[in-house]
Amino acid sequence: MKIIMQYDPCVFKFTELRTEKLIEGLFYNVDQERAKPDIIIWETHRFLPSECENQNTDDYLQFRDRGLDMMRLILDETHKRGIKAYWHYRFSEVDRSWSDPGKRNAVKTAHPDWVIKTWTEEGLWNLASEELQQFKLDYIRKIMTQYDFDGICVD
C-alpha cells in the first residue's frame, strides 16, 4: 500500500519567509513520523514558470528575481526525505494573472481559436484544438525535463 498526499501549498505568504522557514512550513506535516507519505503530488503553479510568461505568479517572479528556484528546492527536499514527487498539472485550468487580475492571458489573446467563450471573462481552453493540445504537451515536456519530478498527475 502507498500513501499519496496531494499538497497545494497556497496558504503561506511565501515571499515573506526565509527559505529555511518556508521549507519547515511546507514539510511540517510530512516530517511527523506518523504522517510520512510515499508520494507527494505537488500542486505548485506558484513556483513554476507559467506556460504563458505574463501569467507567472508573484511568488515565482519574486523568488526568481532573488536567484531562487523554489520548485527545485522543494523537489530536492522531497527527495531528501525519501519521498517521490509528482507534479499536479491542471490541463484546462481557468487561467488568470495572479499578479494582476486584469491582465489578459497573452496566449489566449494571440490564439482566440484556442478559446471557448464561457462564464469566465477570458473563456476556457478549447481542448479540441490540436494546436492547443500540442502547446500544452510541449509545456508538460518542458517542465518534466527541467525539474526532477518522478511523475505527473494531469487534471
Side-chain angles (χ1 to χ4, degrees):
M1 178 173 67
K2 300 277 185 203
I3 299 173
I4 301 171
M5 180 175 98
Q6 182 173 339
Y7 192 13
D8 182 0
C10 65
V11 295
F12 298 104
K13 291 226 175 248
F14 292 108
T15 55
E16 296 173 7
L17 297 173
R18 292 188 328 272
T19 306
E20 59 275 0
K21 281 292 185 189
L22 171 61
I23 294 302
E24 182 183 312
L26 286 174
F27 287 93
Y28 177 79
N29 287 326
V30 172
D31 288 339
Q32 308 305 309
E33 216 30 63
R34 60 183 158 62
K36 185 176 178 185
D38 299 289
I39 299 168
I40 298 177
I41 301 174
W42 289 104
E43 189 172 343
T44 51
H45 63 276
R46 297 176 75 155
F47 299 129
L48 291 169
S50 173
E51 60 193 349
C52 177
E53 183 62 32
N54 82 330
Q55 301 299 106
N56 283 319
T57 66
D58 285 340
D59 289 335
Y60 171 77
L61 295 172
Q62 288 181 39
F63 284 122
R64 183 194 66 189
D65 293 347
R66 288 174 21 203
L68 292 171
D69 186 336
M70 287 307 299
M71 191 71 256
R72 192 166 316 286
L73 179 62
I74 289 168
L75 290 173
D76 289 348
E77 290 290 329
T78 304
H79 291 135
K80 187 168 42 175
R81 288 164 170 79
I83 301 169
K84 291 187 182 288
Y86 284 35
W87 172 37
H88 182 261
Y89 176 63
R90 291 186 179 170
F91 200 85
S92 60
E93 180 68 75
V94 176
D95 300 282
R96 64 185 173 279
S97 170
W98 295 93
S99 58
D100 179 0
K103 190 185 299 182
R104 306 281 300 169
N105 181 307
V107 175
K108 286 183 176 180
T109 300
H111 300 279
D113 55 317
W114 291 5
V115 177
I116 298 171
K117 297 295 179 195
T118 62
W119 54 271
T120 69
E121 184 178 331
E122 290 193 41
L124 297 175
W125 292 113
N126 177 4
L127 299 177
S129 165
E130 290 182 18
E131 293 86 9
L132 173 62
Q133 292 171 18
Q134 189 61 54
F135 174 79
K136 294 279 192 175
L137 290 173
D138 288 346
Y139 175 68
I140 290 170
R141 283 187 191 97
K142 173 186 169 187
I143 295 300
M144 293 300 288
T145 301
Q146 186 174 342
Y147 292 94
D148 190 21
F149 284 104
D150 299 297
I152 183 171
C153 173
V154 178
D155 183 355

